[in-house]
Amino acid sequence: MNAEAGAAPADQKIAMQDLSCLYEITRNLAAATDLQEALDKAVAILAAMKKMENGTVTIVNPLTLELEIEVACGSTAAARKKGKYKLGEGITGRAVASGEPVFVPCIGEEPLFLNRTGMRSEEQKRKSSFICVPIKATVENEAALSEGHVRAQSRCIGALSVDRCYGPDFGPQAEQDLRFLTIVSALIAQTVHRIQSVSREKDALRRENQQLRRELSAKNRIEEIIGNSSRMQEVFAMVHRVANSNATVLLRGESGTGKSMIAKALHHNSGRAKKPFVIVNCSALPETLLESELFGHEKGAFTGAVERKMGRFEQAQGGTLFLDEIGEISNAVQVKLLNVIQERTFQRLGGAELLKADIRLVAATNRDLEAAVREGRFREDLYYRLNVFPIYLPPLRERRTDILLLADYFLEQYSRENSRKIERISTSAIDLLIKYHWPGNVRELQNCMERAVLICDSSAITSVHLPPTLQSAESVGGSGSPLSFTQAVENFERDLIIEALKQCNGNQTKAAERLETSLRIINYKIHNYGIEPKQYKVK
């Protein structure tokens, strides 16, 4: 009677201990976002609260179908690498292959126990038992799902194993531990499934996001304009957003940034694409001629007006009128232009007929219109009429990732026009192109590449073919001291070696022959300058 009374509290104590341990493991696994970290904590809890040593979780590698140790309490990275088992191999492999738990009363007496990690001494193997339970994940049957039914099946994805030291009468305790670890393995399986599902969803969302970005980039891409930089993607997006409206667009940016090309893109991507696109350079004409050019004139309106002339507003009927350098027009023309924008009507010079202006107006300037308004050189009301939808075009120095794209485009264009076989731009020339601050923007780069093509007599554009302005310290914003003789020689040698490697498909021996030097010297220089020959090998 006393023995039974003493046994009951002991069983209750073990049960409470199991519940506490399960609570800690469940709490840890439920909050986990990193699988390895969660499993590390789980086996640490088993060791601390249940005296289950050498806790190990092995997972089936889906590529090799081998069991690999994911975590092992107290083991080294080298030991974990050794712990690989084929399905059915050893105690762990047998538990996973059969899907049934395995209990080994004495590790030292079990020939199937392989101990590949070398974590246990001979004394530990004589004293310890080994418990291994499979980790079973529940997966949906795809065939059943296609029939509209939801079925589930279990699949072993790994195993949980521990060492345990028992007394002489270990039978009941071992059975209880086996049941306990089976529950823990089920919790681990749920956590693995949850974390892997979240990871798959994140990967799917990431891929979807990348695909949408690519589609958006392709959608926003304007065929005639080269540029993949984020700044140009913003410009493309704004062009597509406003193209189909009749809103007046004001293009801002430095000279040579491509404002006229954006104006053409606005027209060709709009509903007015089949109608005329008319350009007026406001800075190229004096005030008297500009007014006649814009609005036209009647016969005899002024000396020399021998016949009626249609103005650009009439020529652009139904289409787009692009007023370039709008900041250069006089106050008198500003007043008339404001009236046309407000009323959408105008009169020819010397005429009485009121004509409708069915046009889409796009204006461009490289001037600071806000400063001109403050100084009274530009009408404030006209400024607000023009500034309905401003688009700012970034200078080339703010979109450096596009420099090489543009340079390659112009190289191909001018090589074709001049019947030259120039295949590429050398590394040294690329460095100069990237570092230069391009005050003339894309137009300057275009002229630079045309000049380089005309004077190049080889298959590659090198630094000597570029204008001297690109090779001065001031051109790249350099304010420090000039290169030393040693640095200049090193840069020259590095460029020569890279060029040779490119021409020899990354082959160092051929590069040495091409440069008429020894392989030993080439290898020394390659190592010294940190050059990676493999990157110049054509794949």
Side-chain angles (χ1 to χ4, degrees):
M1 190 75 178
N2 291 338
E4 289 179 2
D11 290 342
Q12 289 176 0
K13 184 178 179 182
I14 292 171
M16 288 300 296
Q17 186 185 53
D18 286 356
L19 283 174
S20 297
C21 186
L22 280 175
Y23 170 76
E24 290 298 326
I25 290 173
T26 304
R27 190 174 64 134
N28 161 61
L29 293 177
T33 55
D34 180 86
L35 182 59
Q36 190 165 20
E37 184 181 344
L39 296 178
D40 270 326
K41 287 183 180 177
V43 296
I45 291 168
L46 289 174
M49 299 186 70
K50 292 286 291 177
K51 306 300 180 188
M52 293 179 173
E53 305 297 333
N54 295 325
T56 302
V57 177
T58 52
I59 301 292
V60 177
N61 186 322
L63 298 177
T64 63
L65 296 180
E66 286 185 336
L67 280 163
E68 297 177 0
I69 293 178
E70 186 73 17
V71 297
C73 188
S75 71
T76 63
R80 287 196 296 273
K81 284 183 180 179
K82 294 177 184 176
K84 290 185 180 181
Y85 309 91
K86 293 178 181 177
L87 292 179
E89 184 182 24
I91 301 297
T92 304
R94 179 171 292 186
V96 174
S98 66
E100 298 294 332
V102 177
F103 174 69
V104 177
C106 180
I107 294 173
E109 295 176 2
E110 176 55 63
L112 288 176
F113 190 83
L114 303 178
N115 194 29
R116 282 190 178 157
T117 59
M119 291 165 55
R120 301 164 183 83
S121 64
E122 291 300 321
E123 186 179 353
Q124 285 175 321
K125 286 194 284 185
R126 285 194 299 271
K127 292 181 179 180
S128 301
S129 300
F130 182 75
I131 306 173
C132 182
V133 294
I135 299 173
K136 297 179 181 180
T138 302
V139 294
E140 293 173 342
N141 188 309
E142 292 181 5
L145 284 173
S146 65
E147 297 171 4
H149 305 290
V150 178
R151 297 177 190 169
Q153 58 185 9
S154 293
R155 176 171 58 86
C156 284
I157 61 169
L160 166 66
S161 61
V162 297
D163 291 3
R164 194 82 155 90
C165 290
Y166 294 111
D169 186 18
F170 58 80
Q173 182 62 51
E175 289 180 11
Q176 189 170 352
D177 286 345
L178 205 58
R179 288 194 298 271
F180 174 79
L181 288 174
T182 301
I183 296 170
V184 174
S185 74
L187 294 173
I188 290 174
Q190 291 175 5
T191 304
V192 169
H193 178 71
R194 175 177 62 80
I195 291 177
Q196 287 181 344
S197 296
V198 170
S199 179
R200 282 194 298 270
E201 286 177 11
K202 284 182 178 178
D203 288 341
L205 286 171
R206 192 178 296 111
R207 287 193 298 272
E208 183 181 357
N209 183 265
Q210 289 172 346
Q211 178 64 24
L212 287 171
R213 284 179 180 274
R214 283 194 294 269
E215 289 176 2
L216 182 62
S217 176
K219 178 184 175 183
N220 286 343
R221 186 84 171 84
I222 297 173
E223 202 170 315
E224 302 83 6
I225 302 174
I226 306 298
N228 285 334
S229 63
S230 59
R231 298 293 302 274
M232 287 307 294
Q233 290 300 324
E234 291 171 9
V235 172
F236 297 154
M238 295 185 78
V239 168
H240 283 279
R241 190 172 298 173
V242 76
N244 269 324
S245 74
N246 283 319
T248 300
V249 178
L250 180 61
L251 303 176
R252 310 289 297 267
E254 296 177 10
S255 179
T257 50
K259 294 187 289 295
S260 60
M261 295 192 72
I262 293 295
K264 287 177 185 176
L266 284 166
H267 174 72
H268 292 305
N269 286 276
S270 73
R272 299 174 178 265
K274 294 181 180 179
K275 297 295 183 178
F277 175 71
V278 179
I279 303 174
V280 180
N281 190 325
C282 299
S283 65
L285 297 168
E287 178 184 341
T288 52
L289 286 180
L290 178 60
E291 192 173 346
S292 171
E293 196 69 28
L294 287 174
F295 308 113
H297 61 259
E298 297 288 351
K299 182 179 178 181
F302 52 84
T303 304
V306 294
E307 60 182 10
R308 174 190 283 182
K309 178 187 175 181
M310 288 178 60
R312 299 300 178 92
F313 274 95
E314 280 185 86
Q315 294 173 21
Q317 281 294 336
T320 303
L321 178 63
F322 175 45
L323 300 180
D324 199 6
E325 305 296 346
I326 193 72
E328 307 299 326
I329 62 176
S330 66
N331 285 334
V333 178
Q334 288 179 36
V335 172
K336 293 193 175 184
L337 184 59
L338 175 63
N339 184 66
V340 177
I341 297 173
Q342 287 178 333
E343 306 298 332
R344 292 291 170 176
T345 59
F346 66 96
Q347 291 176 317
R348 299 189 193 99
L349 290 179
E353 184 182 0
L354 203 61
L355 303 173
K356 288 187 178 180
D358 178 20
I359 54 101
R360 198 296 178 64
L361 187 64
V362 178
T365 183
N366 60 3
R367 299 283 186 182
D368 185 348
L369 289 187
E370 292 78 12
V373 168
R374 288 193 300 270
E375 295 166 7
R377 292 183 289 106
F378 200 87
R379 292 182 63 93
E380 186 175 11
D381 46 6
L382 178 58
Y383 167 75
Y384 288 119
R385 287 290 182 182
L386 292 172
N387 200 39
V388 176
F389 196 96
I391 298 178
Y392 175 74
L393 273 69
L396 193 54
R397 62 182 174 276
E398 292 180 10
R399 40 182 290 223
R400 292 191 179 276
T401 52
D402 291 335
I403 291 174
L404 194 53
L405 283 175
L406 287 161
D408 284 334
Y409 173 79
F410 293 134
L411 172 63
E412 183 181 349
Q413 176 186 337
Y414 291 120
S415 295
R416 186 172 59 251
E417 286 181 8
N418 294 281
S419 302
R420 300 291 183 93
K421 291 185 178 179
I422 304 175
E423 299 172 356
R424 59 189 178 82
I425 305 171
S426 71
T427 304
S428 58
I430 289 172
D431 288 343
L432 289 178
L433 291 171
I434 297 297
K435 290 175 183 176
Y436 185 54
H437 64 289
W438 299 108
N441 294 297
V442 180
R443 189 180 296 124
E444 184 182 7
L445 175 59
Q446 182 178 0
N447 296 338
C448 170
M449 292 308 299
E450 184 176 13
R451 174 189 184 274
V453 168
L454 290 174
I455 66 173
C456 179
D457 54 2
S458 62
S459 62
I461 300 290
T462 64
S463 56
V464 298
H465 300 127
L466 300 178
T469 50
L470 269 69
Q471 305 181 40
S472 65
E474 293 79 6
S475 70
V476 293
S479 57
S481 55
L483 289 176
S484 67
F485 177 76
T486 303
Q487 288 174 316
V489 170
E490 287 177 355
N491 288 347
F492 183 66
E493 282 187 344
R494 186 176 183 276
D495 287 345
L496 281 177
I497 293 170
I498 289 173
E499 284 301 310
L501 287 169
K502 284 180 178 178
Q503 292 166 0
C504 298
N505 197 26
N507 187 305
Q508 290 152 262
T509 303
K510 290 182 179 178
E513 291 174 0
R514 187 177 185 87
L515 294 173
E516 298 182 2
T517 186
S518 68
L519 179 61
R520 184 183 64 81
I521 289 176
I522 281 290
N523 287 338
Y524 170 76
K525 296 287 185 182
I526 285 173
H527 175 75
N528 200 34
Y529 296 143
I531 299 169
E532 181 54 60
K534 289 181 181 178
Q535 70 182 23
Y536 303 111
K537 187 175 288 187
V538 178
K539 296 179 181 179

